[in-house]
Amino acid sequence: MPKLTIAQNILAANDTYAAGIRQLLAPRGIRSINFMSSPGAGKTTLLERTIRRLRVKLQIGVIEGDIETSADAERIEAAGASETCQINTRGNCHLEAHMVQAALDQFDLDRVQLLIIENIGNLICPNAWDLGEDLRVVITSTTEGDEKPAKYPQMFADAQVVVINKLDLLPYVDYDLEKVRRQVLALNPHLRIFELSCRTEEGLDGWCEWLENFARGEI
Ligand code: MG
Ligand code: ZN
């Protein structure tokens, strides 16, 4: 069973880093979110729209996980994030807590009230890695089909919030919104669901209002 032992050791080391991150953020009143989705569901675009709306009220720090480029971090910086850091995992398919810790070492935490970590686009394994976050958000979109919760149940079961994006494209795709709602709530009855379109900005008001309350510790 050597493989299992190694995996457990790595996860135990990860949990130590994650606990350190909580000890760093909690006393400063910084709340944190781990954003997860498949590639192309719209994580970065949702972040951009969110930061544009909230930047006058809230200082948002963003850690951008990507396999190679820094294009997303540049978009986030332009949107008005107070602190940003790009992590390139060089092929690794998820972020780990030691990577988040290294990014936070470069932040001026006095300029951060809400920390958002954009994980690698992947629905298979990022949920296995605790990043010290307070909240997990999974984004899914109408263009990727309505089977995602059934195919990747653990991602949805481990989250507290699901965002269904690209609502404006609903008339053009075979996507059963009611089925997705039913499936995710069957996996996790406490899930909070937001349905929105980053393109038309429908539903963004409710999402941003909720996020601001979360950041202020009111949720
Ligand atoms: Mg992205
Ligand atoms: Zn992975």
Side-chain angles (χ1 to χ4, degrees):
M1 307 279 283
K3 265 189 187 163
L4 187 61
T5 309
I6 290 164
Q8 282 172 338
N9 287 345
I10 291 171
L11 283 171
N14 187 75
D15 286 349
T16 304
Y17 274 105
I21 291 168
R22 289 197 172 88
Q23 278 165 18
L24 180 69
L25 299 182
R28 291 176 166 83
I30 303 172
R31 301 199 90 190
S32 59
I33 301 182
N34 184 356
F35 258 46
M36 296 180 277
S37 80
S38 56
K43 290 188 298 302
T44 310
T45 305
L46 177 59
L47 263 175
E48 255 182 333
R49 301 284 187 277
T50 302
I51 292 165
R52 287 229 160 86
R53 281 163 174 252
L54 289 181
R55 66 182 172 189
V56 289
K57 303 178 186 177
L58 214 55
Q59 289 182 302
I60 303 177
V62 179
I63 296 172
E64 271 292 326
D66 244 314
I67 289 177
E68 285 296 343
T69 72
S70 61
D72 285 358
E74 285 158 22
R75 285 169 62 191
I76 293 304
E77 198 155 24
S82 58
E83 295 282 299
T84 52
C85 182
Q86 179 77 54
I87 299 175
N88 285 143
T89 61
R90 308 246 177 253
N92 202 1
C93 47
H94 58 262
L95 291 181
E96 298 178 19
H98 70 90
M99 302 173 187
V100 172
Q101 179 61 64
L104 288 175
D105 287 344
Q106 315 204 7
F107 274 13
D108 177 356
L109 290 176
D110 291 337
R111 286 164 45 84
V112 179
Q113 293 168 287
L114 173 67
L115 173 70
I116 300 180
I117 304 160
E118 183 182 329
N119 217 313
I120 307 296
N122 172 9
L123 285 179
I124 299 169
C125 55
N127 64 302
W129 302 84
D130 183 358
L131 303 182
E133 74 274 20
D134 297 312
L135 184 87
R136 291 181 165 193
V137 176
V138 175
I139 302 161
T140 187
S141 66
T142 59
T143 52
E144 59 189 290
D146 54 21
E147 298 293 335
K148 285 284 149 67
K151 286 185 176 169
Y152 304 97
Q154 208 52 48
M155 290 293 296
F156 293 86
D158 286 351
Q160 290 80 44
V161 175
V162 168
V163 173
I164 302 175
N165 187 23
K166 308 191 190 181
L167 213 55
D168 55 304
L169 298 178
L170 211 46
Y172 312 104
V173 291
D174 288 325
Y175 189 89
D176 185 342
L177 190 56
E178 191 48 49
K179 180 172 101 182
V180 173
R181 287 181 192 135
R182 244 189 354 257
Q183 281 180 343
V184 297
L185 288 174
L187 290 165
N188 182 350
H190 304 295
L191 266 177
R192 169 118 206 177
I193 303 173
F194 290 93
E195 298 166 7
L196 52 84
S197 162
C198 288
R199 201 169 69 92
T200 65
E201 309 218 348
E202 177 189 358
L204 273 181
D205 283 345
W207 157 253
C208 286
E209 197 178 310
W210 184 87
L211 196 64
E212 190 186 347
N213 287 334
F214 168 78
R216 299 199 188 288
E218 286 155 18
I219 293 170

